[in-house]
Amino acid sequence: MKKATIHEIAKALNIDSSTVSRALNNNSRVAKKTKEKVFNKAKELGYKPNLLASNLRKNRSNTIGVVVPRISRYFFSTIIAGIEEVAFKEGFNVVISQSLEQVKREKKIMDNFVSNRVDGVLMSIAWESNDFQHLQNLEGLGIPLVFLDRHPASLESCNKVIIDDYKGACEAVDHLIKSGCKKIAHFAGPQFLEIYKSRLKGYSDTLKKNKLKSEPKLIVASHLMKDDGFNIMRDLLEKHPDIDGVFSANDEAAVGAIKFLKKIGKKVPEDISIVGFSNDPLSEVVEPPLTTVDQFGAEMGKKACELLIQNIKHQKDDPFQYQTIILSPKLIERESSRGVIERRIN
Amino acid sequence: MKKATIHEIAKALNIDSSTVSRALNNNSRVAKKTKEKVFNKAKELGYKPNLLASNLRKNRSNTIGVVVPRISRYFFSTIIAGIEEVAFKEGFNVVISQSLEQVKREKKIMDNFVSNRVDGVLMSIAWESNDFQHLQNLEGLGIPLVFLDRHPASLESCNKVIIDDYKGACEAVDHLIKSGCKKIAHFAGPQFLEIYKSRLKGYSDTLKKNKLKSEPKLIVASHLMKDDGFNIMRDLLEKHPDIDGVFSANDEAAVGAIKFLKKIGKKVPEDISIVGFSNDPLSEVVEPPLTTVDQFGAEMGKKACELLIQNIKHQKDDPFQYQTIILSPKLIERESSRGVIERRIN
DNA sequence: CTGTTAGCGCCTTCAC
DNA sequence: GTGAAGGCGCTAACAG
C-alpha cells in the first residue's frame, strides 16, 4: 500500500530526486528527454504527489477556505458555485465548511483552516456571531479575509462584497405599496448583522416616505427559518388581522408564512402580498409565485473570490487596503402570474 | 507574520521540542506541570499546530473526502449533514467537493483527495460516469471508498449505502394507480446508474402487476433537471394528451413538469397526478403539495460515514469485506391537501 | 541542465 | 519523565 515517491522514480532512472521534482513541476531547465522519462516512470509506478509535503515545504496550500452558515440554502450554494468558478480558473482549490449558524463551529473551522494553512478565507458569518476575535486573529496570521453578504455590524475595516440591502428593501416595500398594501409587516433578521439592519431601515424609510406609519409591533425579528415565518405570520395575524403585506428579510421565512396562510385559507397575493429577499428557484412554482429580491449569489461569489485572490497575491508588496464591493439587487416580480392583482376590500 | 512552532515554545521554556510535542498531544508520560507550562506558553505565542507537518509525519490526515454531484440539491445537502454529524463525533474532518455531474471533475477531485491523503472517500457518482478507473485506483492506494445512493451499475464488489429504489418506485406507481391513473408516464434517469434502472423496473413491474400496459413511448430518460421535466411533459402531452399520471425519478423534474402544467392551465392532481423521488422541503408549499418518495438523506449519510470509518479503522487487520446497506424509502402523500382527489372524466 | 545540501514542522523511536 | 536523533516527501538555494 506504500505510495511511490520522487525518490523511487529517481532511483529507477538513476537521477537525483531534485531533478525528478523539477521535471514533475515542468521546470523549464530540465531536458525534454528527462522529463519524458520521468513522466513515464511516474505513471508506471502510479506516482501521486504528496501535497502535504509539498505544501509544508512551500508554506502555502493553494487553497481557499469558505465558511457559510449552511450549504443547503440556495443563496449560499450559488455563492459557492461562483467562488469555485473563479478559484479553479486561478488554480486554487476550495474547501467548503458550514458553521450551521454557530459561532462555536465557526471558531473550530477557522482553527482548522489556519492549521491547514489555507491561503485565504471567504466567509458569511453565523448569525449568533457577536464575538469576532477569531476573525481578527486571521489577519495577524497573514491570512486575508473577505466577507460575503453577511458581515459584522461592528467591524469597519475589512474586505467585503455585499449587495445594496437598503435599496433592495426599499424596492420591495415600494412594490408592496404600489400593489395596494396599506399595512405591511416586516420579518426582520438578527440585528447583529449589518444586512438585516439595512433591510429594516429600508423598510421603515420607505413606509415613511409613502406616508405610512412604521409600527414597531409589525416588525418581528427572528432567525428567519421556515418555522419562524409560519409562527410569526400566525401571531401577527391574530393581533393584527388587517395586515395585507409582508416584507420578509429572506425567502425561507416567506415560504413559512405562505404555508400558514394556505392552512387558514387566505389567498396570496389577493389577501396578503409577500416579498422576500433571496431567490430560490422554487420561488416560481410555489403558489403563488413568490416575488423576490435577487441577490445574485454567483456574482457575489465571483467578485469575492477575485478580491481575495488579489489580496493573496499582493500580500507582501502592498500595504493592506480594505475594499468594499456593493452589487445591486434586483426585484423579480412574479405575483401577477394570474393577471392583475385584485386586492379584496375587507 | 511567521507562525510559532513547537521549537519556539521549547526554546522559551528550555525544554526539548519533543516534550512540547508530547505535551500538546496530551501524552500521558509528561509531567502535569510541564504540560501546563507548555499550554500557557503556546497560548501566549499564539501557537497554531501545523497539520500539514503533522499529517505528513503520520501519513494520514484525519479527513474524509466527500464527492457529490451538487451540494445545492436538497437530498445531497442532507446527506452531507448526516456525514458531518458522524464524522465530527468520531474526530474526523470532512472535505466536500462537487463533481457538477462531470467525470472530468470527479477525476480531478479524486487526484486531489489522494494527494492530500484523505483517509477515506464517500461518493455519489456523476451521471455521465461510465469509466470507473479512477475509483478502482483508490483501493489500490489503500483508501477505502463507500458509495452513497448513486453507484456504478457495473461495479459488483464495493461498499454502498443505498435505498430500496425498486420498492420506492413500486409504491409510487401503486399510489398513482390507486388515485385512479390509467396512463402513467415515467421520467427516467441515466441508465448507467443502478438507482435509475431500479426505479424504471419498479415502474414497469407495477404497471404489469396491475394489468396496465408499460409503453416504451411513455418512458423518457433525461438528466432530470427542471427544464427536462418541463420539456418532457410538454412533448409527452402533445403526443399523448390522455396521460393522467407521472412517476418522476426525481423531484426536480417533477417541479419542471408542474411548471409546464401550470402554464397550460392543467390542474394537478385533478388532471394529472405526479409523484417524484426525493423530498425537498419546498415540496409541501409547491402547488399542489407534491407527493414524494423520501430517501432519508441524513440517515444515508450517517450510515455511510459509519461504514467508512469502520473500514478506515480496520483497514490493516481485516481482509477487505464489502458491505451493502439498504434503507427503506417512504412515500409521503400530500396530494390530498384539498381533500379527496376527484379525477376528471374526459 | 543536473546534483548536493538543507530544511519545512512535527512525531516517534530509542536511550537515559 | 525527558532529550537526542532521524525522517515523513518535497523544494529551493547553490554549485557545477
Side-chain angles (χ1 to χ4, degrees):
Chain A
M1 237 40 83
K2 206 167 141 287
K3 283 136 198 156
T5 70
I6 50 171
H7 296 106
E8 285 156 62
I9 298 177
K11 198 176 286 174
L13 296 174
N14 256 316
I15 55 177
D16 194 85
S17 55
S18 59
T19 305
V20 175
S21 171
R22 279 186 286 247
L24 291 172
N25 287 305
N26 235 319
N27 187 309
S28 56
R29 350 185 280 180
V30 175
K32 238 187 200 166
K33 245 175 59 184
T34 320
K35 272 189 195 171
E36 265 173 40
K37 279 197 295 186
V38 170
F39 280 125
N40 290 335
K41 188 55 89 181
K43 192 160 221 174
E44 182 191 328
L45 297 179
Y47 169 78
K48 302 279 174 185
N50 186 330
L51 285 186
L52 295 176
S54 170
N55 291 335
L56 171 61
R57 186 58 235 260
K58 294 193 289 195
N59 199 34
R60 55 188 184 72
S61 61
N62 242 286
T63 300
I64 289 171
V66 178
V67 197
V68 293
R70 20 177 40 100
I71 54 173
S72 62
R73 294 222 40 205
Y74 182 72
F75 175 55
F76 293 119
S77 58
T78 52
I79 281 184
I80 290 169
I83 292 170
E84 292 196 330
E85 192 188 322
V86 172
F88 292 155
K89 206 183 299 169
E90 298 278 335
F92 283 87
N93 287 316
V94 173
V95 174
I96 304 158
S97 292
Q98 3 184 26
S99 65
L100 303 180
E101 305 285 6
Q102 298 161 27
V103 188
K104 206 182 77 191
R105 288 199 50 155
E106 222 173 62
K107 287 185 178 174
K108 267 197 189 152
I109 291 168
M110 281 311 172
D111 264 353
N112 191 271
F113 279 176
V114 173
S115 289
N116 282 297
R117 301 297 187 261
V118 298
D119 297 336
V121 172
L122 291 170
M123 82 179 303
S124 256
I125 60 179
W127 52 31
E128 60 163 45
S129 280
N130 51 3
D131 163 19
F132 305 110
Q133 195 54 52
H134 51 130
L135 303 181
Q136 301 183 310
N137 285 342
L138 267 196
E139 308 224 316
L141 295 166
I143 301 177
L145 170 64
V146 175
F147 290 104
L148 246 161
D149 187 53
R150 295 198 195 170
H151 53 110
S154 63
L155 216 63
E156 278 302 316
S157 43
C158 58
N159 288 301
K160 53 195 175 218
V161 174
I162 55 184
I163 57 151
D164 194 333
D165 293 283
Y166 180 78
K167 187 175 152 208
C170 292
E171 284 181 16
V173 176
D174 250 344
H175 173 263
L176 288 170
I177 294 173
K178 291 221 176 78
S179 311
C181 298
K182 300 287 182 212
K183 188 154 188 169
I184 301 169
H186 177 43
F187 295 176
Q191 299 293 306
F192 286 125
L193 298 181
E194 198 61 33
I195 57 168
Y196 294 121
K197 281 169 73 175
S198 302
R199 291 175 196 183
L200 170 55
K201 188 158 188 303
Y203 160 82
S204 302
D205 288 0
T206 306
L207 287 187
K208 278 175 206 147
K209 213 170 73 186
N210 286 274
K211 312 262 157 63
L212 289 171
K213 256 190 308 185
S214 164
E215 301 175 57
K217 282 176 185 167
L218 298 184
I219 301 168
V220 185
S222 75
H223 282 166
L224 301 169
M225 309 295 279
K226 210 170 74 172
D227 285 348
D228 294 322
F230 186 95
N231 296 330
I232 293 170
M233 192 77 255
R234 183 192 58 210
D235 299 348
L236 274 176
L237 276 182
E238 201 178 309
K239 291 180 202 150
H240 314 277
D242 54 338
I243 285 173
D244 56 8
V246 172
F247 165 50
S248 172
N250 82 359
D251 54 359
E252 202 166 327
V255 164
I258 288 181
K259 195 178 156 197
F260 175 73
L261 292 173
K262 191 178 281 188
K263 188 183 157 196
I264 62 168
K266 285 252 188 196
K267 292 229 159 120
V268 185
E270 289 86 344
D271 296 322
I272 294 186
S273 283
I274 300 184
V275 177
F277 251 78
S278 279
N279 184 29
D280 192 288
L282 282 186
S283 303
E284 55 182 300
V285 280
V286 166
E287 186 70 9
L290 203 53
T291 294
T292 54
V293 181
D294 194 336
Q295 301 185 66
F296 300 108
E299 274 315 304
M300 291 185 72
K302 279 196 224 173
K303 294 270 191 237
C305 196
E306 281 162 10
L307 178 54
L308 182 67
I309 290 176
Q310 186 188 321
N311 264 268
I312 292 172
K313 288 189 175 161
H314 299 264
Q315 213 164 346
K316 291 150 196 169
D317 31 83
D318 273 334
F320 237 72
Q321 190 76 35
Y322 293 113
Q323 275 187 54
T324 298
I325 297 178
I326 303 176
L327 301 185
S328 264
K330 186 180 170 202
L331 189 77
I332 302 192
E333 294 188 45
R334 295 209 194 80
E335 280 191 9
S336 48
S337 72
R338 306 167 169 186
V340 176
I341 302 165
E342 294 177 36
R343 186 160 302 287
R344 291 188 189 168
I345 311 292
N346 293 307
Chain B
M1 239 36 87
K2 207 167 142 285
K3 284 136 196 158
T5 71
I6 51 172
H7 295 106
E8 285 156 59
I9 299 177
K11 198 176 286 174
L13 295 174
N14 256 315
I15 55 179
D16 194 87
S17 56
S18 60
T19 305
V20 175
S21 172
R22 279 187 284 247
L24 290 172
N25 287 306
N26 235 318
N27 188 310
S28 57
R29 355 181 275 180
V30 174
K32 238 188 202 167
K33 247 176 57 185
T34 319
K35 271 189 196 172
E36 265 173 40
K37 278 197 296 186
V38 170
F39 281 125
N40 291 336
K41 187 55 88 180
K43 190 161 222 173
E44 184 191 327
L45 297 180
Y47 170 78
K48 301 278 172 186
N50 186 330
L51 286 187
L52 295 177
S54 171
N55 291 335
L56 170 61
R57 181 61 232 264
K58 295 192 290 194
N59 200 34
R60 55 186 184 71
S61 61
N62 242 287
T63 299
I64 288 171
V66 179
V67 197
V68 293
R70 25 175 35 102
I71 54 173
S72 61
R73 294 223 40 202
Y74 182 73
F75 175 55
F76 293 119
S77 59
T78 53
I79 282 184
I80 289 170
I83 291 170
E84 292 197 331
E85 193 188 322
V86 172
F88 292 154
K89 208 184 294 169
E90 298 278 335
F92 284 87
N93 287 317
V94 174
V95 173
I96 304 157
S97 292
Q98 3 185 24
S99 65
L100 303 181
E101 305 284 6
Q102 298 162 26
V103 189
K104 205 182 78 189
R105 288 199 49 154
E106 223 172 62
K107 288 186 178 174
K108 267 199 189 152
I109 292 169
M110 281 311 172
D111 264 353
N112 191 268
F113 279 176
V114 172
S115 289
N116 283 297
R117 300 297 186 263
V118 298
D119 297 336
V121 172
L122 291 170
M123 81 179 305
S124 258
I125 59 179
W127 51 31
E128 61 164 44
S129 281
N130 51 2
D131 163 18
F132 305 110
Q133 195 53 53
H134 53 128
L135 304 180
Q136 299 182 311
N137 286 342
L138 267 195
E139 306 223 319
L141 294 166
I143 301 177
L145 170 65
V146 175
F147 290 104
L148 246 161
D149 187 53
R150 294 199 196 169
H151 53 109
S154 62
L155 216 63
E156 277 302 315
S157 44
C158 59
N159 287 301
K160 52 194 175 218
V161 175
I162 54 184
I163 58 153
D164 194 334
D165 293 282
Y166 180 78
K167 189 175 150 208
C170 292
E171 285 181 17
V173 176
D174 250 345
H175 173 264
L176 287 170
I177 294 173
K178 290 220 177 77
S179 312
C181 298
K182 301 287 182 210
K183 188 155 190 170
I184 301 169
H186 177 43
F187 295 176
Q191 299 294 306
F192 286 126
L193 298 181
E194 198 59 35
I195 58 169
Y196 294 122
K197 281 169 73 175
S198 303
R199 291 176 195 182
L200 170 56
K201 188 159 187 305
Y203 160 83
S204 302
D205 287 1
T206 306
L207 286 187
K208 280 176 204 147
K209 212 171 73 188
N210 286 274
K211 312 262 158 64
L212 289 171
K213 258 189 307 185
S214 164
E215 302 175 57
K217 282 177 185 166
L218 297 185
I219 300 168
V220 185
S222 74
H223 283 166
L224 300 168
M225 309 296 280
K226 211 170 73 175
D227 285 348
D228 294 322
F230 186 95
N231 296 329
I232 293 170
M233 192 77 255
R234 183 193 56 210
D235 298 348
L236 275 176
L237 276 182
E238 199 177 311
K239 292 180 201 152
H240 315 277
D242 53 337
I243 285 173
D244 56 8
V246 171
F247 165 51
S248 171
N250 83 359
D251 54 358
E252 201 166 326
V255 164
I258 287 181
K259 194 178 156 197
F260 175 72
L261 293 172
K262 190 179 280 188
K263 188 182 157 197
I264 62 167
K266 285 251 186 198
K267 292 226 160 126
V268 186
E270 289 86 345
D271 296 323
I272 295 186
S273 284
I274 301 183
V275 177
F277 251 78
S278 279
N279 183 30
D280 191 288
L282 282 187
S283 303
E284 56 180 300
V285 280
V286 167
E287 186 70 12
L290 203 53
T291 295
T292 54
V293 181
D294 195 337
Q295 302 187 67
F296 300 108
E299 274 315 304
M300 292 186 71
K302 279 196 224 173
K303 295 270 191 236
C305 195
E306 280 162 9
L307 179 53
L308 182 67
I309 290 176
Q310 186 187 321
N311 264 267
I312 292 172
K313 287 188 175 162
H314 299 264
Q315 212 164 348
K316 292 149 198 171
D317 31 85
D318 274 334
F320 238 70
Q321 190 76 35
Y322 293 113
Q323 276 187 54
T324 298
I325 297 178
I326 303 178
L327 301 185
S328 265
K330 187 181 169 202
L331 190 78
I332 302 192
E333 295 189 43
R334 294 210 194 80
E335 281 192 7
S336 49
S337 71
R338 305 168 169 186
V340 177
I341 302 167
E342 295 177 36
R343 186 161 302 284
R344 293 190 187 166
I345 312 289
N346 292 307

